[in-house]
Structures are given as structure tokens and as C-alpha cells.
Amino acid sequence: MPAPERVLPDPDGDFTLTPDAALRIDPAGRDVADQLAGWLRPATGFPLPVTDTADPVEGRLTLTLSPTAAADIPTQDTRSAGAAPRDARDGGTPTGGTRDGDGDDDALGDEGYRLDVTAAGVRIVAATPAGLFHGAQTLRQLLPAAVESTTPVAERWVMPGGTVVDRPRFPYRGAMLDVARHFFGVRDVLRVVDHLARYKLNHLHLHLTDDQGWRIAVDSWPRLAEVGGATEVGGGPGGWYTRDDYRRIVAYAARRHVTVVPEIDLPGHTNAALVAYPELAPDKTAPPPYTGTEVGFSYVDPADERTYAFVADVLGEVAALTPGPWLHLGGDEAFKVPAESYRAFVARAQALVAATGKTVVGWHQLAPTEHVDGRVLQWWGTNGDDPDTAEAVRRGARVILSPGNHAYLDMKYAPDTPIGHDWAGLIDVRRAYEWDPGSHVQGVPAEAVLGVEAPLWTESVTTLAEIEYMFFPRLPAVAELGWSPRETHDWSRFRSRLAAHGPRWTTAGITFHPSPEIPWPSTPPQIPTQPTPHPAPITTTP
Ligand code: IFG
């Protein structure tokens, strides 16, 4: 999970991981091998040394980086017509066909990999470390769920034999964590990165600023964090990331091939900044700190030149701390800013982003404003007909799809979901899965779609366990829409694979919603689960 592009099972090729196993890698793949070994050591108890010699040796896990790596598999469609649906346990889906239908596109690209499991050993080949990393995540899923245990388990570590060839459908596959409504410390954010990387998501959008809190230190405007960071929804203490905290998040994410996308939401959603610097307020008066959950009432003064000095300084400092190409300007719900002022403000703010060398991302409310080269609109509509966005695409914008009624993970699963919103409707797993980013918005063709992103707004989310409860099982559904070929899209197969996947979350101590839509396995996991984090993880239905 997500479903690979191509799975060629070989029942004679099962491989058993044994205590003397070792990882052999090309030097450039060492970091991936170290991480893979780190995932497998706790449950197996095996030393799993990592060595540089790349020669594939008996009983080994070999990770090979080859810039010209190719899929090297027969291009005929491996899915015979009407193939019987596979048992979820084999994890594979008879995904036939080739990426572009005629099979000539054999390069693995920036993120693709080929994984071969034979009785003699396991080999991952990719053109880049990111491809090796994605292959390593797939390898992890071929081992029994017990591999997720944080303590050694007596288990036969058998991996089903065969070949997987895999490449992503879209380049941008992400999730957003709103750390402004409720603040989440670095440790929680790092665990969120781990969750994204498991499902081959490669972008973490951090919603760093809003009415209730400013979460990133800005040296040239210190009160933004010191004052603006000291509140949150409900009146809690809030908090903020120092520059070093942010650097730590970015570095941790980069090792897992996740790019951080920082959002400084402007011109609206700025009450925290106005509390810190009243000169930015239209009435030049500090509003009271806001700990409620309304939206659309605040904005920085688009008519005051000091606002643009503020924007330039903030974007400059955040851009300098961000290795990724994206800077998210927000732009949503500036209800009190007249259209002309909004357009003028956005034009200047976009130019300030470009001056930092970054590419603009913004919520799709930016659509009617001036296009800047490479601009990306994040679409969060609930109705697939949006002429402004379609027009912006005609002028060159690309789109990240986050439809409110399919990808907003702050939506309740069901009426009795204890936390979350319902303004975009209830979203259980099927609703998160049953849409096509490539054709979701009229006038936004697949070529203009950069990818997908699942936002989690945190007005009512306050702990890591609650983040996980809203993420799982819907995040893998969105991850599959971003990664897997459209031909693999099949709800009945997906729900079976998800059911087989659930015990991995239980074993890993990941909280999740035991959605009634999924036929979770009835047998409880055969191994002692580690002490449960508070609150107790939601286990699968009995
Ligand atoms: N809309 C607001 C968010 C958040 C959300 C909760 C966007 C772009 C509703 N803006 O979504 O700040 O409050 O579902």
C-alpha cells in the first residue's frame, strides 16, 4: 500500500530473512539501507549489518543504485482478462498494463524502483536514493505484520517471492498538518513524517500561521512567535518552532524523502500576527488574542507599506530555512479584503516569494489573481466545477487536489466521530478513496495536476493519537490516489488490502479508526502489543 504499478508474484521465490542476513549497498544508498535496517532490527532482533560491497551475495538484501536503472520486465500486460481477484494476504494486485499503456516507458524515473525477491535474496534497484527508499518501504510491507513490533518477536520472517516494478502517478503526494490551531512539538511532527513516508507521500505542508497562533520564529520580527505563538484554540499555551526546531524537522523529513512546504497564510488568517504587531492591523490596534474557531475576520493591512516589509522579511527568513522549492502563501478566506485590494496584495506577495527563489503555492482563492511562473493552486472545493481555477490553469497554473469532501481529514468519519468537522460532509474510507485526481475538477486535465494532498486542520485535534485517528485509515487511501496507476483503482481490492494492513498499525502502536467499511481480520495479532500510548490506540473491531 499504495498499490504498486506492476506485481509479478513468484511462489517459488519466497525469501526468509535469517539472523546472518546483511544489507549490501552502493555507497550512495547507505542512508536508505541504514533506515531499512533500523526498521527491521527491533522486531527480528537480527544485527543486519550494512556493508558497502555491492556484489549480491546469497541470503542478502541488496540495494543497488543505478542511474540508468530500468524496469526490465516484459511489457505485455500481466493481468489476464477477468483474473480472479487476489487474496488480500498476498498484498499484490494483478495490476497489469504499463504506465503509459504501450510499455515503452521503462525508466524508473526519480522515485521508481524494482524489487526482486528470490529464495537467494532480495534486491532493490532504483535510479535515485528516493526510489530505493520507496522500494524499502515496499520491502517492509512484504514482511509479516509482526515486523512492526518494537521488541523482538519469534516469527518466520518470510517475504513472498516475485518482482515489483513501481513508479508514482503524480509527483506531489502530501499531507498537511495545521500546527497553528493547536501546536504540536517537534517529536509529534517527526512521527507524522514517518507516517507519510510509509505510504510514499513526499510532501509535508505545515500550516504555520493562523488567527490562533504563529508557530515559526522570525528573527527580524521576534514578537510573531514570542507573542503570536503563545496561544492556541481553547486557550492552551501554544508554542512555536525555533529556527533550529524547524531545521530539525526539515532535515528529518529530507532523509525520508519528504519535502517540507511551509505556509505563511496571508492576507487573511492573521490575528496572531496583529496581536504581536498592531501596525499591521487595518485599524492599527492590537486585537485580543483569539482562541476560538471562527475564520475570515482578520487580515493584514494591504494599504500599508509596512505590511510588505513584514511579508518580505518573513518569507525571506522562512525560505532561507526551507530547502524545498515551495512557499505556500495561503490566500484563503480573506473575506474582509475587497477583491481589488486582495488582487493587488497577492500580486506583490507572489513577487516577494519569487524573489526568494521559491515557487508559489496558494489555496485556490488565488486563482483570479495574476499568474506567476510555476504557480500551484491547492484546490479545496467540494464541487468539481470551478471556472476561476480552470481559467488559472489555462494561464499556466498547476493544481494540487485537496477536495474538502474527499481529502480533508479533519472531517468526521461518521456522526459519532468524537472530533473533527462536518462542513464538507462525512468522510469515511470509501469517500476518501473513490475519486480521481486526474479528472476531479472540470477544466483541470490530468497534465495540470501536480498531485494530491490530505489536509488535517486541528481546531479539534490536540494529540498525536488524535492525529493518527484522523489519518488512519484515510491517509493511505489518498496516498494510493497520488501514487498508484489509475488502472489499479478498485475499491473492493483496496478495502481487502487495507483490512490485511490494519494489524500492522495495531502492532506499531498507531491509533486508527476501525472503520465499519473495512473487513478487518477478526483474529487479534498473535504477538504481545507494546505498552499502549495514551490514549489507548483504537484497536480493530473484535
Ligand atoms: N477552511 C479553512 C481552514 C480550516 C478548515 C477546517 C481552508 C483552506 C476550513 N481554510 O481550508 O483554516 O478552518 O476544515
Side-chain angles (χ1 to χ4, degrees):
M1 190 168 288
E5 173 180 327
R6 188 79 78 82
V7 178
L8 302 158
D10 171 6
D12 302 330
D14 289 6
F15 173 74
T16 303
L17 196 62
T18 52
D20 66 343
L23 281 79
R24 274 169 172 62
I25 46 111
D26 293 346
R30 166 169 284 282
D31 187 44
V32 175
D34 287 342
Q35 293 187 72
L36 174 55
W39 299 335
L40 306 184
R41 286 182 186 130
T44 61
F46 299 165
L48 294 174
V50 175
T51 62
D52 277 357
T53 48
D55 59 313
V57 178
E58 190 73 9
R60 302 289 185 243
L61 306 175
T62 305
L63 282 74
T64 302
L65 262 181
S66 152
T68 58
D72 289 339
I73 52 172
T75 55
Q76 85 279 354
D77 188 332
T78 53
R79 178 180 51 202
S80 54
R86 287 290 207 20
D87 177 319
R89 268 192 299 285
D90 75 16
T93 45
T95 55
T98 54
R99 216 166 137 58
D100 50 11
D102 57 15
D104 62 357
D105 167 11
D106 224 11
L108 290 171
D110 290 348
E111 297 189 86
Y113 64 89
R114 175 187 166 123
L115 168 62
D116 292 289
V117 179
T118 66
V122 178
R123 188 181 64 134
I124 305 176
V125 177
T128 67
L132 283 182
F133 184 79
H134 294 320
Q137 291 287 6
T138 298
L139 185 158
R140 187 182 187 184
Q141 292 189 17
L142 294 180
L143 285 159
V147 78
E148 295 296 342
S149 168
T150 52
T151 52
V153 180
E155 173 71 63
R156 277 176 43 73
W157 302 108
V158 182
M159 297 169 60
T163 292
V164 176
V165 175
D166 207 4
R167 288 163 288 205
R169 180 184 180 195
F170 294 109
Y172 187 106
R173 307 175 306 278
M176 183 203 84
L177 183 62
D178 166 12
V179 294
R181 274 44 183 274
H182 279 98
F183 178 66
F184 292 90
V186 172
R187 202 168 58 87
D188 287 347
V189 176
L190 301 190
R191 188 150 163 105
V192 165
V193 170
D194 289 335
H195 293 335
L196 270 53
R198 270 178 186 274
Y199 299 101
K200 303 189 177 71
L201 292 168
N202 60 4
H203 286 83
L204 171 63
H205 169 182
L206 287 176
H207 183 76
L208 291 166
T209 69
D210 214 299
D211 293 317
Q212 299 86 347
W214 184 284
R215 304 297 181 213
I216 179 80
V218 178
D219 286 355
S220 49
W221 296 68
R223 291 168 54 81
L224 287 172
E226 288 158 11
V227 174
T231 51
E232 61 189 338
V233 169
W240 64 87
Y241 305 118
T242 65
R243 295 158 62 86
D244 279 347
D245 289 336
Y246 183 76
R247 287 190 183 98
R248 195 168 146 226
I249 291 167
V250 164
Y252 188 91
R255 271 197 78 200
R256 289 142 185 91
H257 305 280
V258 174
T259 298
V260 170
V261 181
E263 179 187 352
I264 305 294
D265 200 345
L266 294 164
H269 284 272
T270 53
N271 191 77
L274 306 185
V275 174
Y277 291 100
E279 65 267 38
L280 299 174
D283 63 1
K284 308 306 167 196
T285 308
Y290 183 68
T291 60
T293 58
E294 295 303 311
V295 298
F297 56 86
S298 64
Y299 61 103
V300 287
D301 184 357
D304 189 327
E305 278 308 307
R306 286 175 294 183
T307 296
Y308 300 96
F310 158 75
V311 172
D313 289 347
V314 168
L315 296 184
E317 288 198 37
V318 172
L321 289 171
T322 301
W326 313 111
L327 236 176
H328 200 302
L329 263 186
D332 61 314
E333 301 180 323
F335 298 146
K336 293 189 178 164
V337 182
E340 195 39 49
S341 305
Y342 178 84
R343 267 199 291 277
F345 174 86
V346 169
R348 289 185 67 174
Q350 287 185 149
L352 290 170
V353 170
T356 70
K358 302 301 182 185
T359 299
V360 168
V361 187
W363 300 105
H364 72 269
Q365 282 70 36
L366 259 56
T369 68
E370 176 186 332
H371 179 70
V372 283
D373 202 22
R375 183 166 83 153
V376 178
L377 301 179
Q378 182 169 6
W379 193 83
W380 59 290
T382 54
N383 159 355
D385 176 12
D386 179 337
D388 280 347
T389 296
E391 171 55 26
V393 165
R394 272 191 290 280
R395 284 185 285 140
R398 289 175 296 169
V399 180
I400 291 168
L401 283 162
S402 301
N405 51 354
H406 291 284
Y408 262 40
L409 302 188
D410 53 308
M411 292 304 123
K412 291 175 180 294
Y413 289 96
D416 63 347
T417 302
I419 56 178
H421 299 116
D422 59 11
W423 65 265
L426 301 174
I427 302 178
D428 207 333
V429 188
R430 182 162 195 167
R431 189 144 185 79
Y433 182 75
E434 294 275 57
W435 59 286
D436 179 5
S439 59
H440 193 70
V441 182
Q442 288 168 34
V444 179
E447 309 71 71
V449 174
L450 194 61
V452 297
E453 184 185 291
L456 177 60
W457 299 100
T458 61
E459 284 92 342
S460 63
V461 179
T462 60
T463 64
L464 176 63
E466 290 177 347
I467 290 175
E468 293 177 346
Y469 181 77
M470 300 305 261
F471 267 10
F472 297 107
R474 295 175 296 186
L475 186 67
V478 178
E480 181 138 328
L481 291 172
W483 176 278
S484 306
R486 190 65 195 168
E487 308 85 81
T488 67
H489 191 264
D490 178 299
W491 166 247
S492 65
R493 289 207 181 108
F494 176 77
R495 70 191 280 272
S496 301
R497 283 187 287 121
L498 196 58
H501 199 77
R504 307 182 88 84
W505 297 331
T506 304
T507 307
I510 293 172
T511 301
F512 68 100
H513 168 61
S515 168
E517 293 180 343
I518 308 300
W520 305 106
S522 52
T523 48
Q526 303 309 317
I527 59 164
T529 52
Q530 49 280 340
T532 54
H534 170 78
I538 316 255
T539 55
T540 56
T541 38

